């Protein structure tokens, strides 16, 4: 005979719900990140600030990382997150260039490779920051 007590099902359901919230929060942060990048990108263009990865790769990446961070920070603060997790998540936008800028300066990668590699790295870095505060992101 199987145990169908509410406690057993509630525990499993609660765990599933928490991981679902965690995943949803990750997706919401990515959406906020792209919203910031899009909105601030339009603003910079309107102001005549338009660095390119071919011409100004460092500035182009740092400006884009700022735009993504701003969107994500606003989204997280609206959701009630404290500054520490907000800054950790924003750090995930900037940390990838620490090893990549020297490769760019040495001519081993170009601006486009910098942008692609940094984006590939930032998503797992965001997840790592979230796992560090798993309970916060699952509620």
């Amino acid at each position: 005979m199987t145990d169908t007590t509410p406690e057993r099902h509630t525990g499993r359901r609660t765990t599933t719900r928490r991981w679902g919230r965690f995943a949803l929060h990750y997706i919401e942060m990515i959406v906020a990140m792209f919203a910031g990048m899009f909105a601030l990108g339009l603003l910079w263009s309107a102001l005549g600030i338009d660095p390119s990865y071919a011409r100004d790769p460092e500035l182009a990446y740092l400006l884009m990382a700022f735009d993504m961070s701003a969107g994500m920070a606003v989204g997280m603060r609206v959701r009630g997150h404290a500054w520490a997790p907000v800054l950790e998540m924003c750090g995930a936008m900037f940390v990838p260039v620490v090893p990549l800028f020297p490769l760019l300066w040495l001519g081993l990668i170009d601006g486009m490779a910098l942008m692609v590699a940094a984006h590939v790295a930032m998503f797992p870095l965001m997840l790592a920051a979230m796992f560090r505060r798993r309970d916060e992101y699952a509620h």
Side-chain angles (χ1 to χ4, degrees), residues 8-84:
R8 173 168 280 221
H9 292 291
T10 302
R12 191 175 312 141
R13 195 172 303 132
T14 300
T15 300
T16 301
R17 191 175 306 130
R18 286 174 51 81
W19 282 111
R21 282 191 214 125
F22 184 89
L24 179 62
H25 192 78
Y26 182 71
I27 292 166
E28 288 172 349
M29 283 196 296
I30 292 170
V31 169
M33 189 173 80
F34 281 103
M37 186 172 61
F38 178 73
L40 289 174
L42 289 176
L43 173 66
W44 302 134
S45 289
L47 294 173
I49 300 169
D50 197 20
S52 77
Y53 284 97
R55 191 181 60 248
D56 324 286
E58 299 93 341
L59 180 59
Y61 183 81
L62 292 173
L63 190 58
M64 183 183 57
F66 172 81
D67 296 349
M68 292 186 296
S69 295
M72 197 165 33
V74 168
M76 289 180 73
R77 291 297 291 171
V78 166
R79 286 186 63 133
H81 289 277
W83 279 110

Side-chain angles (χ1 to χ4, degrees), residues 36-136:
M37 186 172 61
F38 178 73
L40 289 174
L42 289 176
L43 173 66
W44 302 134
S45 289
L47 294 173
I49 300 169
D50 197 20
S52 77
Y53 284 97
R55 191 181 60 248
D56 324 286
E58 299 93 341
L59 180 59
Y61 183 81
L62 292 173
L63 190 58
M64 183 183 57
F66 172 81
D67 296 349
M68 292 186 296
S69 295
M72 197 165 33
V74 168
M76 289 180 73
R77 291 297 291 171
V78 166
R79 286 186 63 133
H81 289 277
W83 279 110
V86 170
L87 294 174
E88 289 169 0
M89 205 55 66
C90 292
M93 305 299 105
F94 291 93
V95 166
V97 296
V98 172
L100 294 175
F101 275 177
L103 296 176
L104 176 73
W105 299 330
L106 291 170
L108 300 174
I109 61 173
D110 63 6
M112 233 12 180
L114 168 87
M115 192 262 304
V116 170
H119 276 82
V120 168
M122 84 176 50
F123 290 106
L125 287 170
M126 288 171 59
L127 270 176
M130 287 180 68
F131 277 118
R132 183 172 181 273
R133 297 179 187 271
R134 187 172 51 249
D135 287 341
E136 179 174 343

